[in-house]
């Protein structure tokens, strides 16, 4: 995982620096007890440094970190009195820890003081100005590397967490929109079904003819709700204002409300059209619920680059004001309209009518094709969704910019360090100028490689360009010595870093080894000591790792930053699929059962009113359960029981005249498996009622050696197959949903006609992994 890789690179570089700096003491050949004491001191400083670089590894309270920094200072400077400059490399880690431990306002001034102290140590023990200048550069460069790697590792981890937080917020926002859509689409329908069923129940004994009229309305409402379920389960509904207006005219006419309507036929962007259609539906729903209107006026028009919808009625004087609810009704609509830059107002006008008006600005050149679908990452709930900065995640561009700044500072620091090494050979003016030009070209090429992820389409550039850049660095490293002699040291660490960035590991390490060896030979021929050759060789590898680590983490920071929207989109898409499956599986069965039972009540109303009332009682129970299921789907916390669902199925099938054989005694099941199998029973019966003329149904659940098997079998299938059923895993609903659900619990689903002509739906779920 990227956070682990970032931490591993940082820890590896820290260890490498400790080994290199600690080797100064080793090469002074101290007595054994001094060597042991030095090793213990190095280990203590390394442990403190790791704790400062990775606070999660050492969960000390912040106030203790000030003490650990002071302790690191003592372990850094006191041994210098004994070991001399050989211990001087430890000062650079103390300098870096100042910024890692303290707030920036305190840390950076302490950084400057500690860097000055580091420089004074080398000035005191140094042999010349060249060594002193190099020590000053190292006193700043090495701490910057430690700070950069440590902070960037932390930023990568935090960026991953911010992506998770962004996804969670997007899903929560999407879930809120689901709840609103369910309220807009199904809340009124299910409430109307319950009210009309109660009315029909009371009328069955005294006025069966009126009861049948009410049942006709219930059937019409339930069929419309079924269509709405299918519409919502396919995604956000692209409602049409004109279509909703036509439906409203018919509904108001049936309710005896005189209506005047003027709706502009011009095309609107889908998002605007859908929101205005929702406003119209919700406004009419509230009018019918909370007023006794006799007249209604509906107007939709374009005005000054805006779409304006007005709904007015005269029922305010005879109305019962609704209770305020900030999470539904007009309050919910207000936030959706505001998200599009519009306004929603309502209240009594000068004529004493209640007026609801939505005004939404139209984009330039808007047409029906603009925004052909509702965005997957919701835009309509920004008022409800906390921002990342509000959650403490920082400015969205801070991470990639900070990573780039750190990487740039370190690369320039290496350029300055190697420039000082070259100048220590006291080249002529011409040679010095040539050296600086070659070093500048090397730096430029390395910058292009390190920041390739920040350039447009960089990921799609042909590999030949990256290989060409690596080849140019190799040439700049080994061709100039032919003309400049020992004056040229080059930047071998950049060649090593470029190799790590460009080549696979199996090819990069041999090239790095070859470059390091070749540079060692050059240093030997130039008359350098064995220690200098060893130090520069180790430094080349470390420089390569630093360049690779910083560059890769900077690129990763940019990639993660760019991918946040995609991660949120995928999270929302997953939630939409979950929502669609649950909506179809839970509510499809309930509404189908309501429709069938209401048909049965209509047939029984005249001849068997008592039985008809009993059936209506069951319809009321199903409608109330459906309302509960609406909340369950929106919350995403559904938990179903196979035993309870089988019992409900037995009662329902008996009510519609289907003989049922049910045996689901298979013991206790894991919660997720129990829910999936219960959903399978509900969906299987829904498909059976829709697509067959079954007279007998068998539901069997049994344990198998590997897990559990659930089988649903029914007759009444014409032609040996149920029309409209398929086992396509990618199906948008029905058996396709079940296939996805069963696979998710380590099972498989089989659906099709048996040799005896009956239809079978069977699921086999393995429980071996969850048996414990």
């Amino acid at each position: 995982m990227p956070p682990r890789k970032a931490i591993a690179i940082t820890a590896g570089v820290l260890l490498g620096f400790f080994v290199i700096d600690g080797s100064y003491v080793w090469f002074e050949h101290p007595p054994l007890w001094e060597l042991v004491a030095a090793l213990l001191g190095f280990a203590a400083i390394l442990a403190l440094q790791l704790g400062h670089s990775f606070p999660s590894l050492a969960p000390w309270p912040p106030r203790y970190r000030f003490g650990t920094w002071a302790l690191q200072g003592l372990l850094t400077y006191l041994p210098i009195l004994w070991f001399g400059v050989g211990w001087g490399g430890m000062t650079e880690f103390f300098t870096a820890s100042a910024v890692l431990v303290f707030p920036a306002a305190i840390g950076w001034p302490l950084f400057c003081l500690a860097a000055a102290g580091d420089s004074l140590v080398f000035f005191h023990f140094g042999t010349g100005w060249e060594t002193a200048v190099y020590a000053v550069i190292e006193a700043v460069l090495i701490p910057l590397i430690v700070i950069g790697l440590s902070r960037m590792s932390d930023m990568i981890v935090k960026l991953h967490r911010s992506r998770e937080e962004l996804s969670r917020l997007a899903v929560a926002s999407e879930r809120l929109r689901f709840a609103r859509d369910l309220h807009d689409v199904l809340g009124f329908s299910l409430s109307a079904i319950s009210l009309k069923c109660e009315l029909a129940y009371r009328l069955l004994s005294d006025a069966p003819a009126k009861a049948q009229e009410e049942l006709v309305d219930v059937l019409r409402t339930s069929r419309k709700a079924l269509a709405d379920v299918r519409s919502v389960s396919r995604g956000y509904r692209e409602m049409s204002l004109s279509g909703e207006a036509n439906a409203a005219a018919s509904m108001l006419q049936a309710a005896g409300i005189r209506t005047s309507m003027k709706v502009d036929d011009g095309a609107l962007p889908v998002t605007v059209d859908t929101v205005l259609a929702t406003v119209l539906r919700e406004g009419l729903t509230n009018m019918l619920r909370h007023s006794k209107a006799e007249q209604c006026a509906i107007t939709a028009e374009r005005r000054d680059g805006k779409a304006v919808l007005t709904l007015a009625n005269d029922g305010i004087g005879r109305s019962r004001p609704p209770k305020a609810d900030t999470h539904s009704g007009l309050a919910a609509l207000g936030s959706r309209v505001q998200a599009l830059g519009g306004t929603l107002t309502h209240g009594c006008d000068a004529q004493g009518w209640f007026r609801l008006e939505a005004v939404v600005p139209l984009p330039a050149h808007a047409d029906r094709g603009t925004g052909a679908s509702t965005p997957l990452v919701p835009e309509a709930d920004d008022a409800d969704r906390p921002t990342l900065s509000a959650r403490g995640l920082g400015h969205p561009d801070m991470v990639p910019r900070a990573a780039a700044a750190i990487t740039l500072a370190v690369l320039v620091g290496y350029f300055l360090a190697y420039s000082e090494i070259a100048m220590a050979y006291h080249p002529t003016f011409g040679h010095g100028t040539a050296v600086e030009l070659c070093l500048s070209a090397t730096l430029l090429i390395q910058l292009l490689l390190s920041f390739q992820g920040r350039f447009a389409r960089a990921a799609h550039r042909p590999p030949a360009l990256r290989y060409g850049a690596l080849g140019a660095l190799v040439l700049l490293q080994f061709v100039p010595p032919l003309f400049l002699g020992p004056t040229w040291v080059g930047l071998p660490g950049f060649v090593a870093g470029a190799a790590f960035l460009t080549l696979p590991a199996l090819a990069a390490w041999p090239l790095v080894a070859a470059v390091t060896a070749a540079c060692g030979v050059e240093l030997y021929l130039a008359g350098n000591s064995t220690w200098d050759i060893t130090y520069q060789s180790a430094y080349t590898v470390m420089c390569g790792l630093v360049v690779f680590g910083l560059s890769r983490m900077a690129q990763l920071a940019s990639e993660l930053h760019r991918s946040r929207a995609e991660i949120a989109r995928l999270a929302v898409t997953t939630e939409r699929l979950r929502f669609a499956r649950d909506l179809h599986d839970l509510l499809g069965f309930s509404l189908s059962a309501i429709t069938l039972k209401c048909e049965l009540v209509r047939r029984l109303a005249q001849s068997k009113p008592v039985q008809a009332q009993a059936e209506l009682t069951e319809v009321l129970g199903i409608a109330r359960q459906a309302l509960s299921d609406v909340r369950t789907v929106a919350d995403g916390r559904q938990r179903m029981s196979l035993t309870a669902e089988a019992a409900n199925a037995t009662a329902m099938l008996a009510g519609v005249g289907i003989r049922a054989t049910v045996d689901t005694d298979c013991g206790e099941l894991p919660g997720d498996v129990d829910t999936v199998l219960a959903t399978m029973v509900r969906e299987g019966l829904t498909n059976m009622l829709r697509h067959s003329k079954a007279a007998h149904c068998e539901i069997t659940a049994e344990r198998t050696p590997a897990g559990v098997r659930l089988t649903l079998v029914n007759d009444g299938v014409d032609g040996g197959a149920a029309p409209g059923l398929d086992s396509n895993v990618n199906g948008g609903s029905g058996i396709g949903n079940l296939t996805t659900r069963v696979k998710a619990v380590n099972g498989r689903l089989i659906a099709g006609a048996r040799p005896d002509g009956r239809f079978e739906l069977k699921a086999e779920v393995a429980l071996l992994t969850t048996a414990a």
Side-chain angles (χ1 to χ4, degrees), residues 378-713:
E379 297 175 355
D381 293 304
D382 289 339
D384 301 304
R385 181 172 64 241
T387 62
L388 292 181
S389 59
R391 291 273 179 171
L393 298 176
H395 191 277
D397 292 327
M398 183 180 297
V399 171
R401 288 179 180 175
I406 291 172
T407 305
L408 177 62
V410 170
L411 293 179
V412 172
Y414 273 126
F415 166 80
L416 295 176
Y418 277 95
S419 294
E420 195 281 330
I421 292 174
M423 293 301 107
Y425 286 94
H426 305 290
T428 64
F429 178 79
H431 277 193
T433 302
V435 165
E436 292 302 319
L437 289 176
C438 291
L439 288 176
S440 299
T442 302
L443 174 64
L444 178 61
I445 295 173
Q446 183 58 60
L447 289 173
L448 293 175
L449 283 174
S450 295
F451 294 104
Q452 58 181 318
R454 298 184 64 84
F455 300 114
R457 305 280 183 185
H460 303 287
R461 290 180 178 177
L465 291 178
R466 297 194 297 273
Y467 297 151
L470 175 60
L473 287 176
V474 173
L475 292 176
L476 282 170
Q477 179 64 38
F478 295 108
V479 171
L482 301 177
F483 305 97
L484 301 176
T487 303
W488 174 254
V489 178
L491 273 165
F494 281 15
V495 180
F500 288 133
L501 288 171
T502 305
L503 303 175
L506 291 178
W509 279 107
L511 178 59
V512 171
V515 169
T516 303
C519 290
V521 171
E522 287 184 351
L523 291 172
Y524 176 77
L525 295 177
N528 290 276
S529 66
T530 303
W531 162 243
D532 288 336
I533 295 173
T534 303
Y535 177 83
Q536 290 297 334
S537 298
Y539 199 80
T540 295
V541 177
M542 290 303 303
C543 178
L545 290 174
V546 169
V547 170
F548 168 74
L550 289 177
S551 301
R552 184 63 74 202
M553 283 194 281
Q555 293 169 10
L556 181 60
S558 298
E559 291 168 6
L560 291 178
H561 174 67
R562 288 195 300 268
S563 69
R564 290 187 308 167
E566 178 68 10
I567 293 295
R569 188 190 69 81
L570 292 176
V572 169
T573 301
T574 301
E575 179 65 8
R576 287 169 66 101
L577 293 175
R578 194 274 315 165
F579 174 85
R581 286 196 300 267
D582 291 347
L583 184 66
H584 177 275
D585 296 343
L586 288 173
L587 297 180
F589 174 80
S590 300
L591 293 171
S592 297
I594 289 172
T595 302
L596 289 172
K597 282 187 171 291
C598 286
E599 291 280 6
L600 177 61
V601 171
R602 286 185 61 195
R603 294 196 297 268
L604 296 175
Q606 297 288 348
S607 58
K608 300 178 180 179
V610 176
Q611 185 178 350
Q613 285 182 328
E615 295 294 337
L616 274 176
T617 301
E618 291 190 20
V619 171
L620 280 170
I622 296 173
R624 293 188 181 107
Q625 180 60 43
L627 277 170
S628 176
D629 288 342
V630 165
R631 292 189 292 270
T632 297
V633 170
D635 291 341
R637 295 191 295 268
Q638 66 279 3
R639 174 68 166 87
M640 299 171 63
S641 166
L642 174 61
T643 303
E645 200 62 38
N648 294 335
T650 302
M652 191 274 296
L653 293 172
V656 296
I658 298 177
R659 291 181 292 110
T661 303
V662 179
D663 181 10
T664 57
D665 186 12
C666 58
E668 186 177 353
L669 297 172
D672 54 348
V673 175
D674 205 18
T675 297
V676 168
L677 295 184
T679 302
M680 176 179 164
V681 170
R682 179 174 287 199
E683 178 60 29
L685 294 181
T686 300
N687 283 330
M688 181 190 73
L689 295 174
R690 288 181 182 174
H691 303 298
S692 74
K693 298 177 181 179
H696 182 253
C697 174
E698 298 176 4
I699 304 174
T700 306
E702 57 185 341
R703 288 279 185 169
T704 65
V708 62
R709 179 189 300 118
L710 175 64
T711 307
L712 280 73
V713 181

Side-chain angles (χ1 to χ4, degrees), residues 94-176:
F94 176 67
T95 303
S97 292
V99 176
L100 296 174
V101 169
F102 292 94
I106 301 175
W108 285 107
L110 289 177
F111 175 95
C112 296
L113 290 175
D118 185 6
S119 302
L120 288 175
V121 169
F122 281 91
F123 268 109
H124 176 71
F125 292 98
T127 58
W129 280 103
E130 293 86 356
T131 303
V133 172
Y134 182 80
V136 170
I137 296 175
E138 289 281 282
V140 177
L141 176 61
I142 300 300
L144 280 180
I145 292 173
V146 174
I147 294 169
L149 288 172
S150 302
R151 284 286 172 86
M152 287 176 65
S153 300
D154 185 57
M155 285 191 292
I156 295 299
V157 173
K158 288 182 177 179
L159 192 55
H160 269 265
R161 291 174 181 169
S162 75
R163 293 198 314 169
E164 296 173 0
E165 176 74 354
L166 181 64
S167 300
R168 188 190 66 78
L169 292 175
V171 168
S173 180
E174 190 77 352
R175 195 169 288 166
L176 178 60

Side-chain angles (χ1 to χ4, degrees), residues 297-369:
I298 301 173
T299 305
E301 59 183 344
R302 292 172 181 256
R303 187 191 308 160
D304 300 328
K306 300 177 180 179
V308 182
L309 171 67
T310 305
L311 173 62
N313 69 83
D314 65 347
I316 191 169
R318 298 178 291 278
S319 66
R320 173 173 54 86
K323 295 180 180 180
D325 186 353
T326 59
H327 295 290
S328 60
L330 298 181
L333 288 178
S335 64
R336 299 182 73 168
V337 172
Q338 290 171 10
L340 297 180
T343 58
L344 183 72
T345 57
H346 54 84
C348 182
D349 64 9
Q351 289 76 34
W353 283 36
F354 181 82
R355 183 177 297 273
L356 174 68
E357 184 175 78
V359 180
V360 180
L362 295 174
H365 309 295
D367 54 58
R368 182 66 186 173

Side-chain angles (χ1 to χ4, degrees), residues 37-122:
L39 289 176
L40 292 176
F42 286 146
I45 295 176
L46 177 61
L48 291 172
Q49 185 60 53
L50 289 174
H52 296 156
S53 295
F54 307 111
S56 59
L57 297 180
W60 306 316
R63 63 180 181 276
Y64 291 165
R65 297 188 185 281
F66 305 150
T68 59
W69 183 72
L71 177 60
Q72 185 178 0
L74 293 176
L75 292 174
T76 296
Y77 281 98
L78 288 180
I80 294 177
L81 300 176
W82 187 267
F83 293 102
V85 74
W87 197 268
M90 298 297 102
T91 58
E92 294 155 355
F93 301 102
F94 176 67
T95 303
S97 292
V99 176
L100 296 174
V101 169
F102 292 94
I106 301 175
W108 285 107
L110 289 177
F111 175 95
C112 296
L113 290 175
D118 185 6
S119 302
L120 288 175
V121 169
F122 281 91

